[in-house]
Amino acid sequence: MNTILFNSIWVLPLLTVLACVLIPATYEKTLRTIHVTSATIVLAIVCYLTYAIYALSGTPTDPAAAPLALRFFTDIPWLSMFNAHYIVGADGLNMLLLALTAFIVWAGVLVSLKIKGNQKIFFALIQLLATSVYGVYMSFDLVLFFVFYEMEALCMYLMIACYGSGKRDYGGKKLTLTLAFGSSMILATLFGLYFESGATSWNLIEIAKTTLPMDFQMWAFPLMFMGFAVSSSLFPFHFWSPDGHSAAPTAVSMLAAGVMMKMGAYGCLRVAMFLMPEAAKIWLPYVVALLIFNVVLGPFIAIRHKDLKYITAYSSISHLGLIFLGLAALTPIGLRGASLQMISHGFLTGLFFATIGMIYERTHTRDITEMGGIMRKMPFLGVGFVLAGFAGLGLPGFSGFIAESTIFIGAFQQDSTLTRIVTILAILSITTTAVYILQTANRMLHGPLPQKYEGLTDGCFREKLVIVVLVACLLFIGVCPGWISELLDQSIAPIFEKISSAGL
């Protein structure tokens, strides 16, 4: 039964779209009810299965999934001419990422109930995007993985170009073309992996059991790693993020920063590092040098911006850099910290962009110099933004503190002078993060209230519900990180074992 429920995670959003095809676009209330119900059902299924994964810890898993300890494992022949199978399964890492996705999709649907334009198409695109992301985190066949991975770029472009604001066409094209460039790098190496490994299928688990030639790994690893890193805004492929976020509607920003940008880091860990561990040991120290921009210069750029979405986008670039610092550490604690940061940052940016969207809907501006004193009129939304800021600067009690501390400890365990220097710089950059977060909150929420904002109203029930749930997730991870760390350690162990046993 649990296996059926697991496979329904990506199917239900797709069925929701099909169910709404024959409903006229004028029946907006009916469409909204269907999509909210669908997102809520998927969220409930994912939460139940996440608990089931935790409850099953220590019990035998499917031998076909070894060395990965996958639950709900499914292997069905799919495209026989390409030797591709429908292979899905769950361990602690991807189940937690599925839970993150389900929460952000649910929150994104709720905050978009008053979206202007054709709501039928908008919600259909959200569900298709959800299908794509769910599929990426569930897949263990590389063809299936890549098909799901590619779906999200088209959905993102259509949602930004049709429902965004400002330079929406420019922002949408910039995002889509950059992601397509990264995908082309991934596709090239996937073909190489298949032929060089001598595999008879695209099964990631089977390919991982072979030792790829070192001369192949030396060019394929950086190509694949950077191809995935494009989605996670690793320097120098960070430039699409600020323009894409600034043009996107609220739900799209939440999904892009909260979920989609984690797909790249997940691909780096699950595919590139797992399949080519020898090259990972050689190339990852060079990745650390790139992180100087992400973790050090990113916050300084955020300070000079006045647009809320640009500030949050550069903040995300900085926080995502910490994920790569944890990956590059190549220690169990570093990998755990990177995985924790994926989940923590997803909830954090979801909360940030949700509150920004709610404030923008009322003030019709994202320029912090045009605001001031709005805490008097919107105390709940103001507190939500402040709590997001506290979580962003790593305040103890929130998930960011646990994730970032784990990364710093793991990185210091690496016997590399450059890694330790970048780690120290990353720790010092927390001060810079505090500057732009406190500066932004102070300009927006305090001081004299402009006359034009006298009629502002606070968040409605559904908006308050979204803020409360996302804040609760950040606090829950920050206060009770033990069970999540336990799930992540079980998932990371096979990957680290393969990396540590790889010879050079």
Side-chain angles (χ1 to χ4, degrees):
M1 183 60 185
N2 285 349
T3 302
I4 295 173
L5 286 175
F6 181 73
N7 283 275
S8 72
I9 291 174
W10 74 268
V11 175
L12 283 176
L14 198 58
L15 291 178
T16 303
V17 175
L18 297 176
C20 293
V21 168
L22 298 179
I23 301 176
T26 53
Y27 286 52
E28 292 183 348
K29 185 176 181 180
T30 302
L31 291 166
R32 290 196 296 264
T33 301
I34 291 173
H35 286 288
V36 170
T37 303
S38 172
T40 305
I41 291 172
V42 173
L43 176 59
I45 291 173
V46 171
C47 288
Y48 163 72
L49 292 177
T50 304
Y51 171 76
I53 288 278
Y54 178 72
L56 290 170
S57 296
T59 61
T61 57
D62 193 323
L68 301 180
L70 300 182
R71 309 285 178 180
F72 323 132
F73 189 72
T74 305
D75 185 351
I76 302 172
W78 177 37
L79 298 174
S80 56
M81 67 177 66
F82 296 111
N83 295 325
H85 287 218
Y86 172 79
I87 303 175
V88 297
D91 59 11
L93 173 58
N94 65 348
M95 200 69 238
L96 288 169
L97 288 170
L98 287 170
L100 165 66
T101 305
F103 271 106
I104 299 300
V105 170
W106 172 81
V109 170
L110 281 185
V111 301
S112 303
L113 296 186
K114 291 186 178 181
I115 189 77
K116 295 180 181 179
N118 191 320
Q119 293 190 357
K120 177 178 178 178
I121 295 177
F122 180 81
F123 286 116
L125 289 171
I126 283 186
Q127 296 286 11
L128 290 174
L129 182 58
T131 299
S132 168
V133 179
Y134 289 138
V136 167
Y137 291 139
M138 294 168 65
S139 301
F140 286 87
D141 179 275
L142 293 177
V143 171
L144 185 67
F145 178 94
F146 189 77
V147 168
F148 280 124
Y149 193 87
E150 279 297 278
M151 280 178 61
E152 46 87 20
L154 178 60
C155 294
M156 292 289 292
Y157 172 72
L158 291 174
M159 294 174 79
I160 294 174
C162 299
Y163 299 91
S165 59
K167 298 179 180 179
R168 56 188 186 182
D169 187 58
Y170 171 76
K173 286 180 178 177
K174 191 173 186 179
L175 179 150
T176 305
L177 292 175
T178 308
L179 295 183
F181 173 70
S183 296
S184 66
M185 297 164 69
I186 297 169
L187 183 61
T189 51
L190 287 181
F191 281 118
L193 279 172
Y194 179 74
F195 292 109
E196 288 289 339
S197 66
T200 56
S201 74
W202 296 84
N203 187 334
L204 182 145
I205 301 167
E206 293 301 317
I207 295 176
K209 294 176 181 177
T210 65
T211 301
L212 295 165
M214 199 60 200
D215 57 345
F216 167 77
Q217 287 193 42
M218 285 303 293
W219 70 261
F221 177 83
L223 196 64
M224 174 174 278
F225 190 92
M226 295 306 293
F228 280 121
V230 169
S231 294
S232 295
S233 295
L234 179 66
F235 179 81
F237 301 111
H238 65 286
F239 50 82
W240 64 266
S241 177
D243 291 312
H245 286 313
S246 67
T250 301
V252 178
S253 292
M254 292 172 66
L255 288 164
V259 177
M260 190 201 76
M261 295 176 80
K262 311 304 175 296
M263 288 165 46
Y266 175 80
C268 289
L269 176 62
R270 181 73 87 185
V271 183
M273 293 172 63
F274 186 51
L275 297 184
M276 294 177 280
E278 292 87 358
K281 287 185 173 181
I282 295 173
W283 282 108
L284 284 177
Y286 296 97
V287 172
V288 173
L290 299 178
L291 297 178
I292 294 174
F293 174 87
N294 284 76
V295 302
V296 179
L297 297 182
F300 281 101
I301 297 175
I303 289 176
R304 62 178 290 272
H305 275 286
K306 298 178 176 62
D307 186 301
L308 280 172
K309 281 199 171 183
Y310 272 95
I311 293 170
T312 308
Y314 279 105
S315 172
S316 293
I317 290 172
S318 174
H319 285 100
L320 288 164
L322 295 179
I323 296 176
F324 287 100
L325 180 60
L327 296 179
L330 291 176
T331 61
I333 294 179
L335 296 180
R336 181 208 297 168
S339 304
L340 268 172
Q341 180 72 347
M342 292 183 205
I343 300 160
S344 168
H345 184 258
F347 286 115
L348 169 63
T349 51
L351 178 60
F352 253 133
F353 281 113
T355 53
I356 289 171
M358 295 170 193
I359 293 170
Y360 175 74
E361 187 178 326
R362 290 160 171 78
T363 62
H364 305 292
T365 182
R366 294 194 300 264
D367 191 332
I368 59 176
T369 61
E370 296 180 10
M371 301 182 196
I374 62 175
M375 178 70 90
R376 303 174 196 173
K377 296 294 181 178
M378 298 185 290
F380 200 94
L381 298 185
V383 169
F385 185 85
V386 170
L387 290 176
F390 286 162
L393 58 85
L395 190 72
F398 288 94
S399 59
F401 175 77
I402 295 296
E404 292 173 15
S405 298
T406 308
I407 289 171
F408 297 148
I409 293 170
F412 260 105
Q413 289 181 340
Q414 174 63 262
D415 187 19
S416 165
T417 302
L418 176 60
T419 301
R420 291 181 176 179
I421 290 174
V422 173
T423 303
I424 293 171
L425 292 174
I427 295 171
L428 294 176
S429 72
I430 294 174
T431 305
T432 314
T433 302
V435 170
Y436 70 74
I437 287 176
L438 296 176
Q439 172 182 276
T440 301
N442 184 56
R443 289 185 179 182
M444 286 174 52
L445 306 176
H446 303 292
L449 179 71
Q451 184 67 31
K452 60 182 178 179
Y453 295 145
E454 287 292 342
L456 292 179
T457 58
D458 206 359
C460 63
F461 173 77
R462 61 180 173 82
E463 292 173 326
K464 291 179 180 179
L465 178 63
V466 168
I467 290 175
V468 168
V469 170
L470 294 179
V471 170
C473 290
L474 290 168
L475 287 170
F476 180 69
I477 298 172
V479 175
C480 307
W483 70 277
I484 293 181
S485 297
E486 183 180 332
L487 284 175
L488 292 175
D489 286 345
Q490 294 171 10
S491 306
I492 290 165
I495 300 174
F496 177 74
E497 182 179 349
K498 195 167 191 300
I499 293 172
S500 60
S501 61
L504 293 179

